[in-house]
Amino acid sequence: MSTAENAPPKAPLPAPAPAPTAPPRPAHRDANVLRWLAAYTISLIGDSIYFVALGWSAQKVAGPTEVGLIMAAGALPRALLMLGGGVAADRFGLRRIVLGSDAVRCVLILAVAAGVAVTAPAVWLLVALALAFGVVDALFVPAVGALPPRITSPDQLARVTGMRTLSMRVSQIAGPPLGGLAMGVGGASAAFAAAGLLFALSLPLLLAVRLRPLGAAAEASDVWGDATGDTAPASASAPGVRDTPDPAPGSAWQDLLGGLRYIRGHRLIGPLIAVTAISELGLTGTLNVGMLLLNGERGWGPSGYGWIISGFGAGATVGAVLLTVTGRLPRAGLTMTGTLLAGCAGAAAIALVPTLPYAVALAAAVGLAMGICGTLANALVQTAADPAYLGRVTSVVMLTTVGLAPLSYPVVGAAIGVWGVAPVFIGCGVFGSVGVGVALVSGAVRSAELAR
């Protein structure tokens, strides 16, 4: 027998150590997220310029009643069709709906700009524009709002939500002055054209945004509280990997009902949306219509009203910056609940303060509390939602904030006319606090955590 045959068997070579994986890139350093954020900000500024151009054009050719009709015309189809927009996003894919609806908005506004350049805007044209824009917005808003979980990892969602809030604040600050400047330079045609060009600029940025494959996003979001999962950076879909869900076998109506059943049966998303709806109905009318009437009653004047609104906006901006910088707050469910309670208490007390500086300071505190509360609620919803339902979930969230909440405006105004400012502010604060009770009753909300 040979020496080689008598040699002891060699020990197997140790398996090579796995290569270390790079930690997920923070959202504020992720080029993919920044492309989405730039597109979103540009689109919001375009929205602001469009509304300035629409309102200015309306008051030039119509009376007060018709101006109100024109400005409200877009809100009705947006509210009525918002849920359908969520269904479309889930059935046909977020990318298709976002790009298609944004392109239609661009063409629509540029066509009106060209028409207004050759003839004076007519009431029927402005009403038709507002209605069409509202219909397209009902598709665009849920789809673009559902993108964050598909472009970043779950542990970055709170940071992305904070960045999104900052984007909204920037558009609110920059949009109206730019719209007024365009109106002053070239009239309504120039303002509409500026809005259309901004929508056009957002299109290539949105086209360059890469989506996480649906399966990876689904695994990452299959959590209730301390979400973990796929933290790979967003990437373009690989061959054979779908970026859009398989078409559902049922009708669009069945999809809508299925989405509503999903929300109702989800032990975290359902209560969170209920909390959001209650707090919005309680506080939105108070902080808009009620603040105007409070300012008039106290005689603080237009500058006083501006200072109060600026204080609220500054507080909300600080809250968004806090989430953007930290990326995560511990015990997110309880933190959200506590800040909601603080916001409701502040809103109730603002009608009781004696002087303008106190009102501004309290408005800033309310803005800070509600900014943190809203950002955490949105981040928790998007972390927990199954990506196949993201469009429908987002559409319901948006409906509660931009669709149903304005319904409280006439109620608040009429109530102040009957009972006065202070009782209504206190009553609205108490009503908003019902959302705190809903949150505390839900064990899933109390224990909810953002992804680490």
Side-chain angles (χ1 to χ4, degrees):
M1 188 173 293
S2 67
T3 304
E5 291 176 348
N6 291 329
K10 294 181 179 180
L13 294 175
T21 58
R25 184 176 299 174
H28 61 284
R29 297 179 182 174
D30 187 336
N32 194 51
V33 173
L34 295 178
R35 282 191 294 271
W36 167 82
L37 185 68
Y40 186 66
T41 304
I42 290 169
S43 179
L44 287 177
I45 294 174
D47 280 338
S48 296
I49 295 175
Y50 156 74
F51 282 112
V52 169
L54 182 68
W56 188 263
S57 301
Q59 64 91 24
K60 285 289 188 181
V61 299
T65 301
E66 291 171 317
V67 170
L69 173 64
I70 292 169
M71 298 303 291
L76 182 61
R78 184 164 50 246
L80 291 178
L81 301 177
M82 187 78 73
L83 297 182
V87 171
D90 288 334
R91 283 178 73 90
F92 303 111
L94 300 179
R95 182 186 295 277
R96 291 192 185 107
I97 297 300
V98 166
L99 291 174
S101 57
D102 204 29
V104 171
R105 296 196 313 165
C106 174
V107 172
L108 179 67
I109 298 300
L110 290 178
V112 171
V116 172
V118 298
T119 183
V123 172
W124 70 265
L125 176 63
L126 297 177
V127 172
L129 170 62
L131 288 171
F133 198 87
V135 170
V136 181
D137 246 14
L139 293 171
F140 180 77
V141 170
V144 77
L147 281 179
R150 297 289 305 277
I151 62 175
T152 191
S153 53
D155 63 303
Q156 295 297 311
L157 269 178
R159 180 171 278 129
V160 172
T161 307
M163 294 163 69
R164 180 182 176 186
T165 302
L166 284 176
S167 173
M168 295 170 62
R169 295 297 170 187
V170 167
S171 69
Q172 291 168 354
I173 294 170
L178 289 175
L181 177 63
M183 290 289 299
V185 171
S189 177
F192 281 124
L197 290 175
L198 286 173
F199 294 148
L201 181 59
S202 71
L203 277 170
L205 291 169
L206 288 170
L207 187 62
V209 172
R210 298 166 298 168
L211 301 187
R212 295 162 61 88
L214 189 62
E219 292 173 5
S221 69
D222 188 20
V223 294
W224 298 109
D226 196 10
T228 57
D230 182 11
T231 57
S235 60
S237 297
V241 179
R242 293 184 60 88
D243 244 346
T244 58
D246 292 320
S251 65
W253 177 250
Q254 290 172 326
D255 281 0
L256 174 58
L257 294 180
L260 295 176
R261 284 194 295 268
Y262 170 78
I263 292 171
R264 183 185 63 186
H266 199 291
R267 64 189 185 97
L268 177 59
I269 294 177
L272 280 176
I273 290 180
V275 169
T276 300
I278 293 169
S279 61
E280 288 285 346
L281 285 172
L283 300 181
T284 300
T286 305
L287 297 175
N288 286 278
V289 177
M291 200 68 74
L292 276 170
L293 299 175
L294 172 66
N295 190 75
E297 181 182 278
R298 299 295 174 85
W300 290 332
S303 62
Y305 177 72
W307 277 108
I308 292 173
I309 296 303
S310 296
F312 182 85
T317 301
V318 170
V321 170
L322 175 65
L323 267 297
T324 300
V325 172
T326 62
R328 185 178 186 274
L329 290 178
R331 309 195 73 174
L334 286 178
T335 302
M336 181 210 73
T337 305
T339 52
L340 175 57
L341 179 60
C344 292
I350 203 167
L352 305 177
V353 296
T355 61
L356 178 60
Y358 286 114
V360 173
L362 194 52
V366 172
L368 174 63
M370 297 309 299
I372 295 173
C373 173
T375 302
L376 287 177
N378 283 328
L380 287 170
V381 167
Q382 292 201 325
T383 300
D386 185 328
Y389 289 91
L390 264 176
R392 282 164 284 183
V393 170
T394 304
S395 69
V396 173
V397 173
M398 296 304 296
L399 181 64
T400 62
T401 55
V402 303
L404 297 181
L407 297 178
S408 64
Y409 290 0
V411 176
V412 169
I416 289 176
V418 175
W419 293 298
V421 173
V424 172
F425 267 71
I426 294 171
C428 288
V430 171
F431 182 86
S433 299
V434 173
V436 176
V438 173
L440 292 176
V441 167
S442 170
V445 174
R446 294 197 308 271
S447 61
E449 292 282 2
L450 293 169
R452 294 182 182 275

